[in-house]
């Protein structure tokens, strides 16, 4: 099946620094990638939708200047957490939508997630 | 807006017990419904889906039926195994918008004991 990878799997950084998380679709082209945030024992919260070659669409309440998303190719999207603070510590998950299975029956393939800890 | 509500966990069962995890939804339009599973240390995987009313999704012994009249999509399995221990998420996708956005329930942790 379709595989989505994320790198790094976990990262610890100091407050005020920026962290980049990569999401790659390994064996298919992803016209759309999604970025989620998951708090402990809570659901996934959609942060933004990333379409290849265009600006990301952010959900209400998500700061686009803080969470920079770039989807420069059909296999790579990046999320950069700028000037990270301890409250940004979370589990970040990406998913990618297979070009071939577009239409209303969307299936998203999920990455394994990245655990961000900001000290 | 659209939303999904799942029964709270954790759900603890003995091996070979019957499993039901309730899921209800609120949506405008005609959503597709999904169950995803997240095994420890792994990403979410699609378990099953249903795209219209009365459809039954099934996979690996799990089943769920899209009930429009009760706005529900309950997950069932007749005989659980220890390997089914995971977090299960119910989700919907708004088919009318074609954005592909998924809205998730809060997740239900299943623990199966030998």
């Amino acid at each position: 099946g379709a595989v989505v990878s994320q790198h790094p799997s976990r990262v610890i950084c100091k407050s005020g620094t920026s962290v980049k998380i990569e999401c790659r679709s390994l064996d298919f082209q992803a016209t759309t990638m999604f970025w989620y945030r998951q708090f402990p024992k809570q659901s996934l919260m959609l942060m933004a939708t990333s379409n290849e070659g265009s600006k990301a669409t952010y959900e209400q309440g998500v700061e686009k200047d803080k969470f920079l998303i770039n989807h420069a190719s059909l296999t790579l999207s990046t999320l950069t957490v700028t000037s990270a603070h301890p409250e940004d510590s979370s589990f970040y998950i990406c998913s990618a939508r297979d070009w071939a299975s577009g239409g209303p029956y969307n299936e998203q393939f999920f990455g394994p997630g990245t655990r961000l800890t900001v000290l | 807006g659209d939303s999904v509500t799942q029964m709270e966990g954790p759900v603890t069962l003995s091996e070979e017990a019957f499993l039901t995890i309730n899921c209800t939804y609120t949506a405008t339009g005609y959503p597709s419904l999904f169950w995803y599973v997240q095994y420890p240390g792994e990403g979410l995987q699609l378990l099953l889906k249903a795209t219209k009313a009365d459809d039954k999704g099934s996979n690996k012994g799990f089943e769920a039926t899209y009930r429009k009249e009760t706005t529900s999509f309950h997950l069932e399995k007749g005989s659980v195994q220890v390997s089914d221990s995971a977090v299960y998420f119910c989700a919907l996708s708004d088919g009318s918008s074609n954005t592909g956005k998924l809205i998730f329930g809060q997740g239900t942790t299943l623990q199966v004991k030998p």
Side-chain angles (χ1 to χ4, degrees):
Chain A
V3 178
V4 175
S5 69
Q6 278 185 245
H7 178 79
S9 58
R10 58 178 67 232
V11 56
I12 301 172
C13 69
K14 293 182 179 179
S15 186
T17 61
S18 295
V19 175
K20 180 184 285 188
I21 302 170
E22 294 186 348
C23 177
R24 292 181 184 273
S25 58
L26 298 185
D27 51 1
F28 66 98
Q29 293 185 325
T31 52
T32 306
M33 288 183 171
F34 302 87
W35 287 96
Y36 296 86
R37 186 171 177 177
Q38 185 180 26
F39 293 97
K41 301 188 186 300
Q42 293 190 31
S43 184
L44 281 73
M45 181 192 78
L46 180 65
M47 299 174 65
T49 303
S50 164
N51 291 298
E52 185 266 338
S54 63
K55 291 183 178 180
T57 302
Y58 290 82
E59 296 299 302
Q60 192 171 9
V62 178
E63 299 176 60
K64 61 181 181 181
D65 294 331
K66 181 167 187 63
F67 298 100
L68 301 179
I69 292 172
N70 183 277
H71 192 168
S73 77
L74 284 170
T75 59
L76 174 64
S77 176
T78 59
L79 167 67
T80 301
V81 183
T82 62
S83 186
H85 291 284
E87 57 265 30
D88 299 325
S89 298
S90 192
F91 195 55
Y92 293 88
I93 300 173
C94 74
S95 70
R97 177 183 171 190
D98 191 336
W99 174 287
S101 66
Y105 311 126
N106 303 305
E107 179 174 350
Q108 293 184 25
F109 299 95
F110 286 80
T114 297
R115 173 75 60 192
L116 170 63
T117 303
V118 185
L119 302 176
Chain B
D2 295 357
S3 66
V4 177
T5 302
Q6 290 179 236
M7 63 186 288
E8 289 196 22
V11 174
T12 303
L13 297 172
S14 297
E15 206 165 20
E16 299 185 0
F18 184 86
L19 168 71
T20 299
I21 300 178
N22 290 337
C23 170
T24 57
Y25 68 91
T26 302
T28 55
Y30 303 95
S32 295
L33 301 175
F34 306 83
W35 276 100
Y36 283 85
V37 58
Q38 186 178 30
Y39 297 104
E42 299 183 18
L44 274 72
Q45 301 173 27
L46 179 64
L47 180 60
L48 53 84
K49 65 182 179 183
T51 56
K52 61 183 187 295
D54 299 325
D55 267 3
K56 177 186 283 189
S58 61
N59 185 26
K60 299 181 181 180
F62 291 90
E63 292 183 340
T65 301
Y66 189 145
R67 301 284 188 200
K68 188 172 171 61
E69 64 275 14
T70 54
T71 62
S72 65
F73 193 54
H74 304 322
L75 182 68
E76 297 182 336
K77 185 174 185 182
S79 176
V80 293
Q81 305 299 313
V82 173
S83 57
D84 293 326
S85 298
V87 182
Y88 292 82
F89 292 92
C90 185
L92 68 82
S93 175
D94 180 0
S96 63
S97 70
N98 201 33
T99 62
K101 290 167 56 173
L102 288 173
I103 296 171
F104 286 88
Q106 66 268 41
T108 302
T109 299
L110 170 64
Q111 298 174 340
V112 181
K113 297 186 176 181

